[in-house]
């Protein structure tokens, strides 16, 4: 595996790949890798000639007072995991490389899609995501880019950007990888105290109960949201940021559940904000 930090080295390393018309799969991450990230890399490995993964903790997607300064890092452990996943190129730029002095451009998907769900409590988050993803897609020019369903809104927003701006890339979404007790894997799980970690599986449990209610015929979004809320409040110190039922593609709120449905939630345990979701076809 080649570890590359500079943009010109990345371009050089990819020049021959492009000349030979070999396909490139790209997995952007913020590092502190876990099996969720690795599942994306393995999928990219299966479907492409060359796999590029990036690790970049993107300051632009963190709001004031969020966890940018304490976000977990493990460069060496990450590199070992990427080698095991047969990644060809690890791109590890520093902040100056991505945002050199004088950088003054943003890429933003406007409208309700970035204002709902996580956009409500993180109003500048998706602007940071689309700006860095646009830059990384330009640098790597992959045939396919792999994203986790864990960040369902991110996938919808990135797909919209790719469509609106004619990026020549296929966005591939990959299923959520969970701990044995159902908690969605996340680099941020490392922040949880043992007690919070014990309570956190309630998120997935509440989503599973919702799925069962819908399978039994319930179609009122309000009733389902209410049931999820009640279930989450069976554990102590869980503070709900949002529970929303939306159309998977447009992220428009549903009153009556039907079609491509996303049930998404964000809940805080202490300072740690966790997200989870399930997608249903009804
Ligand atoms: P992050 O490092 O949190 O920015 O995540 C990088 C990519 O990995 C994103 O596309 C995430 O959606 C994806 N990802 C994170 N956690 C999981 C998980 N538990 N299962 C599947 N994909 C994940």
């Amino acid at each position: 595996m080649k570890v590359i930090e500079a943009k010109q080295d990345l371009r050089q390393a990819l020049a021959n790949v492009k000349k030979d018309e070999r396909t490139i799969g790209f997995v952007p991450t913020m590092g502190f890798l876990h099996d969720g990230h690795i599942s994306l890399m393995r999928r990219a490995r299966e479907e492409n000639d060359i796999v590029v993964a990036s690790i970049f903790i993107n300051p632009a997607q963190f709001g004031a007072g969020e966890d940018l300064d304490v976000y977990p890092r493990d460069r060496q452990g990450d590199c070992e995991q990427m080698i095991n996943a047969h990644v060809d190129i690890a791109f590890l730029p520093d902040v100056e490389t991505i945002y050199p002095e004088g950088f003054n451009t943003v890429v933003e998907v406007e409208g309700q899609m970035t204002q709902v769900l996580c956009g409500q409590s993180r109003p500048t988050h998706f602007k940071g995501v689309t700006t860095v993803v646009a830059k990384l897609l330009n640098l790597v020019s992959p045939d396919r880019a792999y994203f986790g369903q864990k960040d369902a809104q991110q996938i919808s927003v990135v797909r919209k950007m790719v469509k609106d701006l004619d990026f020549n890339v296929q966005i591939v979404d990959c299923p959520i990888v969970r701990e044995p007790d159902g908690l969605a894997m996340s680099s941020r799980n490392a922040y949880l105290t043992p007690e919070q970690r014990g309570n956190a599986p309630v998120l997935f449990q509440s989503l599973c109960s919702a799925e069962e209610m819908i399978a039994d015929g319930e179609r009122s979004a309000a009733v389902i949201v209410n049931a999820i809320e009640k279930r989450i409040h069976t554990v102590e110190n869980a503070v709900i940021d949002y529970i929303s039922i939306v159309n998977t593609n447009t992220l428009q709120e549903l009153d009556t559940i039907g079609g491509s449905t996303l049930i998404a939630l964000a809940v805080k345990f202490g300072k740690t904000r966790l997200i989870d979701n399930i997608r249903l076809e009804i």
Side-chain angles (χ1 to χ4, degrees), residues 204-220 223-224 227-228 231 245 257 263 278-280 282:
F204 185 53
Q205 288 159 8
S206 71
L207 291 169
C208 291
S209 313
E211 187 174 4
E212 274 169 34
M213 287 172 73
I214 293 166
D216 289 344
E218 182 58 62
R219 290 292 178 270
S220 159
V223 169
I224 298 290
I228 294 173
R231 181 68 183 260
I245 303 186
I257 294 167
I263 309 182
I278 52 168
R279 216 166 38 172
L280 305 170
I282 295 151

Side-chain angles (χ1 to χ4, degrees), residues 26-33 37 53-63 66-76 78 91-99 122 125 128-129 131-133 135-136 154 187-188 191:
F26 175 50
V27 182
T29 82
M30 296 207 299
F32 206 67
L33 302 179
H37 298 116
S54 65
I55 296 181
F56 179 64
I57 301 176
N58 175 32
Q61 71 188 69
F62 289 78
E66 291 187 358
D67 56 344
L68 173 62
D69 294 338
V70 295
Y71 197 84
R73 291 149 215 252
D74 179 11
R75 184 182 162 118
Q76 200 187 326
D78 286 351
F91 181 47
L92 277 57
D94 62 16
V95 174
E96 270 300 295
T97 300
I98 296 297
Y99 301 117
R122 307 186 77 191
H125 172 68
V129 170
T131 300
V132 82
V133 171
K135 282 182 66 89
L136 291 168
Q154 174 170 280
S187 307
R188 290 191 166 99
Y191 298 145

Side-chain angles (χ1 to χ4, degrees), residues 19 81 111 201-202 237 262 273-274 281:
K19 211 170 66 201
Q81 291 199 64
V202 77
N237 302 323
L262 176 74
R273 184 175 173 280
L274 301 181
E281 293 296 329

Side-chain angles (χ1 to χ4, degrees), residues 27-41 54-56 61 71 146-152 154-155 172 174-179 183-189 275:
V27 182
T29 82
M30 296 207 299
F32 206 67
L33 302 179
H34 51 66
D35 286 353
H37 298 116
I38 299 302
S39 72
L40 273 48
M41 294 173 195
S54 65
I55 296 181
F56 179 64
Q61 71 188 69
Y71 197 84
Y146 295 80
F147 292 85
Q149 179 60 33
K150 160 95 187 327
D151 298 88
Q154 174 170 280
I155 291 181
V172 181
C174 304
I176 301 176
V177 177
R178 299 180 178 280
E179 300 287 355
L183 177 64
M185 288 191 181
S186 164
S187 307
R188 290 191 166 99
N189 291 350
I275 56 172

